[in-house]
Amino acid sequence: MSSLRPGELRLLVSPAALLALGVSLLVMSWAMSSPAFSGPDEGEHYLRALSIANGQLLGPRVPDR
């Protein structure tokens, strides 16, 4: 393995790779910052996802007044 000259290290780390690393770190910190079901309507979203997963796209029919 050959040793790197000082200018060669900059070529190994591209700006696009640094940007992708920064964005992925921000997304991971945002996703891990709030605990599950801490939002006011998270339970309803979970139930909606379960009903869609079980094949029920629409809820029960509600009569008009």
Side-chain angles (χ1 to χ4, degrees):
M1 187 167 154
S2 64
S3 63
L4 295 175
R5 293 188 299 244
E8 289 178 332
L9 185 59
R10 282 184 282 164
L11 296 176
L12 294 177
V13 181
S14 67
L18 289 175
L19 181 64
L21 176 65
V23 168
S24 62
L25 287 175
L26 281 173
V27 167
M28 288 300 296
S29 65
W30 174 76
M32 298 298 167
S33 65
S34 60
F37 296 103
S38 64
D41 61 346
E42 290 295 320
E44 286 82 7
H45 286 286
Y46 181 71
L47 291 176
R48 175 78 173 137
L50 281 178
S51 67
I52 290 174
N54 289 324
Q56 184 180 3
L57 187 59
L58 300 175
R61 187 171 183 88
V62 177
D64 293 337
R65 291 186 184 212

